[in-house]
Amino acid sequence: LGHGSGGELSQRLLREYIYPHFDNAWTVQAHDSATLPRIGGRTVFTTDSFVVSPLFFPGGNIGELAVYGTVNDLAMSGARPLYLSCSLILEEGLPMKTLAAVMASMGRAAAATGVQLVTGDTKVVEKGKGDGLFINTAGIGSLEHVLSIAPDRIQPGDSILLSGDIGRHGMAVMARREGLEFDGPLLSDCAPLHEPVLALLEAGINVHCLRDLTRGGLATALVELAEGSRRQFSLRENDIAITEPVLGACEMLGLDPLYVANEGRFVAFVPPHQAQQALAILQKCPVSADSRAIGTVSASEAAEVILRNSIGCERLLDRLPGEQLPRIC
Amino acid sequence: MTTERLHIAIGGLVQGVGFRPFVYRLARDCDLSGWVANDSGGVQIEIQGEGARIREFLRRLPIEKPRYATIDSLTTEARPLCREVGFIVRQSDSTAAPAAVILPDLAPCSDCLREMSDPDDRRYRYPFTNCTLCGPRFSIVARLPYDRVNTSMSAFPLCEPCREEYENPLDRRFHAEPVACPACGPQLQLCDASGTQIAVREAALQLAAEAIAEGRIVALKSVGGFQLLVDAANSAAVARLRDRKRRPHKTLALLYPDIESVMRDCRISALEKAQLESPQRPIVLLAARASAGARIATAVAPHNPNLGVMLPASPLHQLLVDALQRPLVATSGNLSAEPICYDNDDAIRRLGAIADLFLLHDREIQRPLDDSVVREMDGQTVMLRRARGYAPMPIEFPAVSGAQPSDFLAVGADLKSVAGLARGSAAFLTQYLGDLDNRAAREMFEQSVSDLKNLYQAAPESVIADQHPAYISSRWARRQQSAFIGVQHHVAHFFSCLAEHGHRDRALGICWDGTGWSADNTIRGGEFLRWDGDLEVSHIAGLSPFPLPGGEAAIRNPRRQAAGLLYAALGRGAFADEFFRDNFEPAEQQNLAIMLERGIYSPVCTSAGRLFDAVAALLGLVGEVSFEGQAAMAVEFAAQQSDTRRSYPFALKQQGSYRLLDWEPLAAGLLEDGRRGVPAAERARAFHNTLAQMMHAVAVRAGEEHIFLSGGVFQNRLLTESAARLLRQDGFRVHCHSRVPPNDGGIALGQIYFARCGASYRTLSKEGYEQCV
Ligand SMILES: [Fe+3]
Ligand SMILES: [Mg+2]
Ligand SMILES: [Zn+2]
Ligand SMILES: [Zn+2]
């Protein structure tokens, strides 16, 4: 427990496990706050907290999640991610080895993404008062464009692009947590999304809105955007990619993959005449190589998300009111 | 010889059914003078003449009344003599509020059929012939009052001969709002799948009939929406229809040309015959004869000993079957669970990939109405789907004393959705609306609710819904401006049956169905409720719980429900059981074991419907199911093959004032019999017998004389009749559904009656449901 009290132990923790991965000019200052150079243009600032059980899952771990989650939040306003802070809440008894692995992974994720971890904090809570490790990150990014990327810019006719298959993160975590085995690999999609977003903007695509799909999955994200924009979205079920292992796992647990969490997928709303170009750009980035156009924004002002299946039946997507309880009578 | 004068007030279904012309003719026949008029309560009559003739009039009135009229009340009062000549039909008092009764759509009467087959009649072979006794009503009404201008017929100005009939009080068509003839009325047209017109009028009908005979799929614009027709004997055509409609198993309804051909293929009772021939023309579930296979392709009703049969419901159907002289498959023209198409353009768009040809007409349908479905059970007709022919007739229940209660809305449940408006001591229910999870059904639900408000000029102050947090109907209800009231699902089932029987006193409700949410977050469906006849409903007993690994996914795959049942009965021992080993892949076994042991993604249920599903799987009767009720039906059909009187043990455990009906010994018996190689039919029958005894055991302890059976499980004829028989042997009075379905189609009525009774609900089972982060 002594590790959080600010004494010698705490110093050791920082020195041995944390600083090595915060390898840059600012952390070397070892002050309470980081002093950053002036950032040109508009600045974007966001924060997010990460709790996940288990800490390590197929395709990622909580450290990567904490970096990519905040990077993705910055990316969704079209910002180039620059700096991150990192706050750790450790539960007493967390193996140092685990902490080291998470921090190493955070360091690599930051380096790969080109963001710098510039400030941080560590607290330790008593055993039983935390779930091993919680991480909070905050992020700063800069806007290098003049667009406003927001739900109210969604226009009738806009093409809705989805950056890849869905449902992998939620199912990978769930399967690992519960010890369930499914046919085929079930890897989290956990990944940074700034690269395809910046590529769209650099190519001059008039991006109307972006949203990363996290908890609640594709359906919840689109329902929120439909409500936020007072627009109706029409989706084609056939164009929404879901891998066999995800489908199999969802069928086993009785879950709808449209509502399962993702950590490396986003939707983009772009004008119809730029849809093909935008799609080609997205498909060039590895993280969004499987991008597809999945639907369009209709002229109707009903805030609805309509999913059309292969035989033409239409389903209205709603928020989930809680757990998925059977309604069949 | 004395002259008398009498005032007669008649309440009931007496408007829009040809009642006034009938009274007019009867009065003249009896040499009486006086008048007849509609008013907001029904019909008022004054007659004057010789006493003997007045009594003759009163005697003949209820006997000779138009066949669809129903007389609920008739009061007479002597009046002073008047000076008057002849008998007249008085114009309705236009200032009085119209009686808000809209009639359902009725099959052609014998007079109309006769005209249609008379080459000298001006309506010879005219597919839109009707009169005050028959024809479309609810399907063509846009607004009240029910006048031609407020119906789809406003597009067809009357020709001179039709106008004369319409205005002549002696004519059968006096004020028949949809009256029409070939000169002035709607016409047929035949289009291909792209909507291109191929033929009109008689040629359209002939070509459509030929196409069906050749094995093609024809979409027919029927009374309340489109039907898809194919030759029922043509296996390839039936298979093509199933394939295009993505409907692999569910039984397809049949349209027969006449009662004789029905009797050749099915065994029918007098009651079933009466239902088939009734003007409502529902689909009647009938036991097929073995010989039916000669005329009906196996694919029409696979693994089902019953056929769903109807006779022609409209002149158009009559002409078509006359031309074809064979049974036709006539299934709803929709995409899977969506509402049926009822608009020409929409039908061509949505059914273009299913039908080869469209037989259309230009009389607009105002709202979609599916064909209704009934089944004879326990000596009476039980509604399974209430739509064409029955909607929108109100269901009346005992009035509550005190001030006139305000109108409110009830939204029913999500599956087999029916909404209703409570006005006074009646429930005005919508037709069957389908399952709300698709967009079209949801739109139809909203449209039907506004339909209710508009037609009946209602401004409901509150809205009642099911308590299920995920029901689309309940979430819709919560978004409305009106006050929200939640009613527990099985309480609503119970009260729907009480309402039908006008029962206000204490009673026991046995509410067995598939899934109903209860406030302890358990999925219920094997429940016993007591109504004290005054204020309170209490939950006094229920089936013991078992988990459903995978929730709705388990419901689609009954073997998983069986796994849940085995786990609840045997604990970890379930995983070593033969059934478990044989029915799941090793990986699936492992996953199921984890889910069951940790209780994850495995909602717990106490449902009799789910017990049926699990037993269907244990008996090896089904794999995956493609429609709700498929597994339970398989158990019922298997049980019909055995007449064993055996049953399995079960346990009834007292938990405070609550009783737990434990099925574990039953499950053990079923498994043991399986190991001994007892045939599935015998086990299925013994399972039914046991369930009846379980109900009996609780009934004996509850000690209520009146017992009401409600919930989808009571669509099972064998179970309903076994339970009713066993209970009646002990002096219980057993009441089943008749006018509203035992399934969720009755929920709205139950919600309404529960609220009208001012009842409250108390559950004695595990409580303490609390909202936490
Ligand atoms: Fe129910
Ligand atoms: Mg976030
Ligand atoms: Zn008629
Ligand atoms: Zn005419």
Side-chain angles (χ1 to χ4, degrees):
Chain A
L1 188 60
H3 283 127
S5 59
E8 171 63 23
L9 281 172
S10 159
Q11 274 306 309
R12 230 189 84 201
L13 183 82
L14 287 171
R15 220 173 32 244
E16 290 180 21
Y17 292 94
I18 303 189
Y19 284 162
H21 309 291
F22 282 43
D23 182 22
N24 58 58
W26 290 279
T27 39
V28 174
Q29 299 165 358
H31 285 314
D32 281 342
S33 52
T35 307
L36 307 175
R38 190 182 299 276
I39 299 168
R42 294 181 293 164
T43 304
V44 177
F45 182 36
T46 186
T47 184
D48 212 338
S49 298
F50 299 83
V51 290
V52 64
S53 167
L55 298 176
F56 288 79
F57 45 83
N61 62 56
I62 190 171
E64 284 172 45
L65 222 50
V67 172
Y68 298 150
T70 293
V71 162
N72 291 347
D73 282 351
L74 293 173
M76 292 307 120
S77 36
R80 180 180 297 284
L82 297 175
Y83 305 108
L84 289 187
S85 73
C86 167
S87 261
L88 304 174
I89 295 171
L90 314 173
E91 186 190 16
E92 191 189 0
L94 177 78
M96 282 309 207
K97 225 170 66 195
T98 306
L99 178 64
V102 169
M103 293 318 296
S105 175
M106 273 190 95
R108 278 194 303 275
T113 314
V115 286
Q116 289 176 301
L117 286 159
V118 294
T119 184
D121 181 51
T122 307
K123 293 280 184 299
V124 178
V125 295
E126 271 173 61
K127 194 159 182 65
K129 301 224 164 141
D131 202 2
L133 170 61
F134 299 148
I135 305 181
N136 171 278
T137 53
I140 289 175
S142 68
L143 290 184
E144 294 162 4
H145 59 84
V146 293
L147 297 177
S148 135
I149 297 177
D152 60 15
R153 284 236 302 143
I154 293 174
Q155 298 299 315
D158 276 3
S159 190
I160 307 172
L161 311 180
L162 170 63
S163 75
D165 65 301
I166 58 165
R168 288 201 338 227
H169 176 74
M171 294 322 291
V173 168
M174 227 173 273
R176 175 56 54 94
R177 180 170 63 227
E178 312 294 358
L180 301 167
E181 297 284 345
F182 301 104
D183 284 347
L186 207 46
L187 296 182
S188 168
D189 57 358
C190 178
L193 298 171
H194 64 295
E195 190 191 330
V197 169
L198 293 177
L200 289 177
L201 293 168
E202 274 155 25
I205 302 290
N206 182 5
V207 176
H208 288 159
C209 189
L210 298 166
R211 176 66 59 94
D212 59 337
L213 314 180
T214 53
R215 269 187 314 179
L218 176 67
T220 308
L222 288 176
V223 168
E224 282 173 10
L225 291 178
E227 286 170 357
S229 61
R230 304 283 325 151
R231 296 286 174 204
Q232 188 185 58
F233 305 159
S234 300
L235 311 179
R236 297 173 301 268
E237 191 177 55
N238 278 357
D239 290 325
I240 299 170
I242 307 169
T243 61
E244 279 301 324
V246 169
L247 280 176
C250 283
E251 172 56 29
M252 189 72 222
L253 302 179
L255 300 176
D256 183 342
L258 295 172
Y259 291 88
V260 173
N262 305 271
E263 283 294 344
R265 297 288 179 258
F266 69 105
V267 285
F269 290 74
V270 300
H273 67 276
Q274 291 184 315
Q276 277 317 310
Q277 189 195 349
L279 206 52
I281 293 166
L282 292 178
Q283 287 165 349
K284 263 187 229 128
C285 299
V287 70
S288 53
D290 293 327
S291 290
R292 294 187 204 180
I294 59 163
T296 51
V297 178
S298 328
S300 162
E301 284 184 20
E304 290 176 339
V305 182
I306 300 163
L307 181 71
R308 199 182 162 84
N309 73 9
S310 56
I311 62 164
C313 276
E314 291 179 336
R315 181 179 150 201
L316 276 180
L317 300 184
D318 247 322
R319 284 171 206 281
L320 277 190
E323 54 186 312
Q324 299 185 19
L325 281 173
R327 293 181 303 127
I328 297 171
C329 187
Chain B
M1 175 177 127
T2 56
T3 301
E4 297 169 23
R5 186 176 184 86
L6 203 64
H7 178 92
I8 306 168
I10 298 177
L13 180 59
V14 286
Q15 292 187 14
V17 287
F19 204 79
R20 287 177 301 165
F22 154 70
V23 168
Y24 178 89
R25 284 192 299 274
L26 183 62
R28 288 174 59 124
D29 214 36
C30 298
D31 281 326
L32 302 172
S33 64
W35 53 264
V36 58
N38 281 343
D39 79 345
S40 61
V43 163
Q44 305 283 328
I45 304 169
E46 282 199 22
I47 43 175
Q48 180 170 318
E50 204 184 312
R53 303 309 301 267
I54 284 187
R55 273 174 289 286
E56 181 193 344
F57 178 92
L58 287 174
R59 183 180 55 78
R60 287 171 60 187
L61 184 87
I63 301 169
E64 296 175 21
K65 69 174 172 58
R67 65 174 172 165
Y68 203 70
T70 53
I71 297 177
D72 293 338
S73 65
L74 188 152
T75 56
T76 59
E77 199 180 308
R79 288 284 158 94
L81 299 183
C82 284
R83 215 184 269 277
E84 69 188 354
V85 182
F87 193 91
I88 57 164
V89 176
R90 269 199 196 167
Q91 231 17 274
S92 307
D93 180 359
S94 59
T95 58
V101 174
I102 305 168
L103 284 177
D105 305 282
L106 301 176
C109 70
S110 50
D111 287 336
C112 286
L113 288 176
R114 191 178 30 73
E115 287 172 340
M116 285 168 59
S117 55
D118 176 0
D120 293 331
D121 195 280
R122 63 192 192 89
R123 291 192 176 87
Y124 177 58
R125 296 190 63 76
Y126 181 56
F128 304 96
T129 305
N130 64 78
C131 71
T132 46
L133 297 184
C134 71
R137 297 285 188 278
F138 189 41
S139 64
I140 58 164
V141 180
R143 288 166 296 280
L144 283 184
Y146 177 56
D147 286 326
R148 189 174 175 100
V149 289
N150 291 332
T151 71
S152 306
M153 295 306 292
S154 62
F156 303 94
L158 288 169
C159 69
E160 214 29 61
C162 283
R163 174 165 302 285
E164 275 170 27
E165 293 170 334
Y166 183 82
E167 289 174 352
N168 176 4
L170 270 180
D171 197 278
R172 218 172 83 240
R173 297 198 166 88
F174 175 64
H175 276 277
E177 306 303 343
V179 69
C181 77
C184 68
Q187 298 295 349
L188 289 180
Q189 56 167 316
L190 186 70
C191 292
D192 66 17
S194 66
T196 309
Q197 187 174 301
I198 296 169
V200 295
R201 299 192 177 211
E202 184 65 28
L205 184 83
Q206 293 304 334
L207 286 174
E210 281 166 29
I212 293 171
E214 286 162 9
R216 299 217 270 162
I217 302 172
V218 172
L220 168 75
K221 187 175 186 181
S222 171
V223 177
F226 278 78
Q227 287 170 335
L228 295 163
L229 306 179
V230 291
D231 181 351
N234 186 330
S235 299
V238 175
R240 196 159 54 244
L241 176 63
R242 280 204 180 276
D243 184 48
R244 290 190 192 168
K245 233 195 136 183
R246 309 260 168 112
R247 180 163 153 158
H249 304 121
K250 201 172 176 184
T251 301
L252 300 167
L254 295 168
L255 169 64
Y256 269 75
D258 47 48
I259 193 77
E260 291 74 27
S261 55
V262 177
M263 289 163 83
R264 201 157 50 229
D265 286 352
C266 303
R267 285 188 300 274
I268 64 174
S269 70
L271 184 62
E272 286 166 338
K273 181 167 181 287
Q275 279 305 318
L276 283 167
E277 292 179 317
S278 73
Q280 291 86 351
R281 291 294 149 92
I283 295 169
V284 185
L285 299 191
L286 301 173
R289 295 180 191 276
S291 59
R295 277 168 301 269
I296 305 296
T298 317
V300 168
H303 311 296
N304 193 330
N306 299 326
L307 293 175
V309 171
M310 69 184 138
L311 290 176
S314 75
L316 176 54
H317 287 93
Q318 188 65 53
L319 292 171
L320 207 54
V321 296
D322 284 349
L324 283 154
Q325 283 303 324
R326 71 188 91 183
L328 305 180
V329 164
T331 186
S332 330
N334 58 1
L335 299 174
S336 60
E338 290 192 351
I340 48 169
C341 301
Y342 63 102
D343 171 82
N344 289 354
D345 295 338
D346 184 53
I348 290 167
R349 193 166 52 241
R350 283 163 63 198
L351 304 177
I354 300 176
D356 301 310
L357 289 170
F358 289 81
L359 185 55
L360 309 170
H361 58 74
D362 50 357
R363 187 177 74 198
E364 251 183 76
I365 299 173
Q366 295 293 333
R367 59 188 62 73
L369 289 151
D370 276 88
D371 295 318
S372 295
V373 182
V374 303
R375 182 181 195 183
E376 183 185 337
M377 276 190 251
D378 193 32
Q380 54 178 347
T381 303
V382 178
M383 192 72 60
L384 299 183
R385 185 207 279 164
R386 187 176 183 271
R388 178 185 51 73
Y390 301 94
M393 293 304 296
I395 309 274
E396 310 234 356
F397 45 77
V400 281
S401 50
Q404 170 75 9
S406 53
D407 292 352
F408 62 82
L409 203 63
V411 297
D414 268 18
L415 270 61
K416 302 185 166 65
S417 166
V418 169
L421 173 74
R423 167 164 290 177
S425 56
F428 291 82
L429 302 177
T430 67
Q431 70 277 25
Y432 162 91
L433 302 173
D435 298 347
L436 293 188
D437 44 10
N438 66 78
R439 178 193 182 205
R442 212 183 296 193
E443 275 173 4
M444 187 168 141
F445 165 81
E446 291 184 10
Q447 184 190 320
S448 302
V449 167
S450 51
D451 219 27
L452 277 177
K453 293 193 218 169
N454 295 338
L455 284 174
Y456 303 109
Q457 299 287 302
E461 288 173 5
S462 50
V463 50
I464 302 201
D466 198 276
Q467 288 176 339
H468 198 307
Y471 268 6
I472 288 156
S473 52
S474 308
R475 292 156 86 188
W476 179 89
R478 282 177 202 277
R479 287 198 302 272
Q480 305 309 302
Q481 299 301 312
S482 339
F484 175 90
I485 303 164
V487 178
Q488 201 277 330
H489 189 83
H490 301 103
V491 173
H493 270 306
F494 184 14
F495 274 70
S496 69
C497 203
L498 289 171
E500 258 205 70
H501 294 275
H503 192 93
R504 188 73 180 69
D505 294 334
R506 47 186 312 131
L508 172 70
I510 305 183
C511 302
W512 282 18
D513 67 353
T515 301
W517 189 83
S518 101
D520 61 2
N521 222 20
T522 303
I523 305 302
R524 298 205 164 267
E527 314 313 314
F528 295 79
L529 304 169
R530 187 205 304 274
W531 161 233
D532 66 6
D534 181 23
L535 289 172
E536 200 173 72
V537 183
S538 38
H539 182 205
I540 59 164
L543 287 175
S544 52
F546 64 98
L548 303 172
E552 284 208 1
I555 299 178
R556 289 189 295 271
N557 184 348
R559 287 171 307 179
R560 285 212 214 157
Q561 298 177 65
L565 192 82
L566 288 177
Y567 181 72
L570 311 171
R572 305 206 54 178
F575 309 138
D577 188 89
E578 208 178 325
F579 175 85
F580 193 77
R581 295 261 155 232
D582 292 349
N583 276 276
F584 304 103
E585 298 294 319
E588 207 178 358
Q589 289 181 23
Q590 202 186 327
N591 290 338
L592 281 170
I594 291 170
M595 290 162 71
L596 289 167
E597 282 196 274
R598 298 200 193 151
I600 52 169
Y601 306 101
S602 300
V604 168
C605 80
T606 62
S607 159
R610 300 287 83 88
L611 186 61
F612 261 94
D613 287 359
V615 167
L618 286 179
L619 296 183
L621 299 172
V622 288
E624 299 225 352
V625 293
S626 69
F627 67 94
E628 183 239 321
Q630 187 178 347
M633 282 163 64
V635 183
E636 180 188 357
F637 299 152
Q640 286 173 3
Q641 308 298 313
S642 161
D643 53 9
T644 184
R645 308 185 66 159
R646 284 183 57 206
S647 62
Y648 296 111
F650 61 91
L652 191 56
K653 298 173 178 165
Q654 185 93 28
Q655 297 185 339
S657 46
Y658 181 78
R659 283 192 170 87
L660 191 71
L661 199 44
D662 192 346
W663 45 258
E664 269 185 45
L666 158 63
L670 272 171
L671 290 172
E672 176 54 31
D673 269 2
R675 283 187 285 272
R676 285 176 36 223
V678 175
E682 188 179 329
R683 294 153 77 199
R685 182 62 182 240
F687 170 66
H688 276 76
N689 296 342
T690 314
L691 294 182
Q693 289 175 6
M694 286 171 139
M695 290 186 236
H696 178 263
V698 175
V700 166
R701 283 157 185 87
E704 297 295 344
E705 181 189 0
H706 290 275
I707 298 177
F708 291 79
L709 307 182
S710 187
V713 166
F714 294 106
Q715 297 173 105
N716 178 324
R717 179 174 182 168
L718 179 63
L719 181 68
T720 304
E721 293 179 350
S722 313
R725 201 177 313 116
L726 193 61
L727 290 164
R728 287 195 186 113
Q729 277 169 10
D730 255 5
F732 292 107
R733 300 190 40 197
V734 182
H735 312 273
C736 302
H737 279 282
S738 175
R739 286 178 300 158
V740 298
N743 61 43
D744 285 4
I747 291 289
L749 175 64
Q751 291 168 342
I752 287 172
Y753 191 51
F754 178 74
R756 276 291 192 254
C757 286
S760 65
Y761 173 56
R762 192 163 63 101
T763 172
L764 300 177
S765 60
K766 184 181 71 180
E767 225 181 343
Y769 163 72
E770 193 183 349
Q771 210 114 43
C772 299
V773 172

